[in-house]
C-alpha cells in the first residue's frame, strides 16, 4: 500500500513540479528508515523485506531529492521523466 502512495506522490511531483508542502526532514527520516529496513532484510536474507523496502527506499529517495533540488534542476529532472512517460504511453 505504501508503494502506491509513494508512486502517486512521485507522479504528482513530476507533473506539477510542486514540492512546497513536503517536509524534507520528514522524508530524510523516512529514507533512513527504509535504508535500515533494507539492511535488516539483507542481514536476515528475507527477500520480501528486501524487495518491498528497496522499492519504498527508491521512491522516498526520489521524493526527497526532488524536494531539496533547486527549481531549475527539479524542472529538468521532471521534464526528462515526463517526456519518457509520454513516449511510453503512445
Amino acid at each position: 500500500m505504501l508503494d502506491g502512495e509513494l508512486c502517486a506522490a512521485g507522479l504528482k511531483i513530476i507533473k506539477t513540479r510542486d514540492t512546497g508542502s513536503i517536509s524534507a526532514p520528514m522524508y530524510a527520516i523516512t529514507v533512513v528508515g527504509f535504508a535500515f529496513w533494507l539492511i535488516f532484510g539483507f542481514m536476515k536474507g528475507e527477500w520480501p523485506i528486501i524487495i518491498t523496502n528497496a522499492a519504498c527506499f527508491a521512491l522516498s529517495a526520489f521524493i526527497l531529492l526532488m524536494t531539496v533540488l533547486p527549481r531549475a534542476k527539479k524542472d529538468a529532472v521532471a521534464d526528462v521523466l515526463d517526456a519518457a512517460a509520454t513516449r511510453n504511453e503512445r
Side-chain angles (χ1 to χ4, degrees), residues 25-86:
M26 187 275 304
Y27 261 92
I29 292 168
T30 301
V31 168
V32 169
F34 285 130
F36 282 143
W37 274 107
L38 192 55
I39 291 166
F40 175 74
F42 277 115
M43 288 171 44
K44 298 284 284 179
E46 298 285 336
W47 286 104
I49 295 173
I50 295 168
I51 292 168
T52 56
N53 285 291
C56 289
F57 174 80
L59 293 168
S60 296
F62 171 75
I63 293 170
L64 176 62
L65 176 70
M66 292 297 281
T67 302
V68 298
L69 279 177
R71 182 68 181 188
K73 298 257 187 200
K74 186 185 311 182
D75 288 342
V77 170
D79 286 341
V80 169
L81 294 174
D82 198 21
T86 303

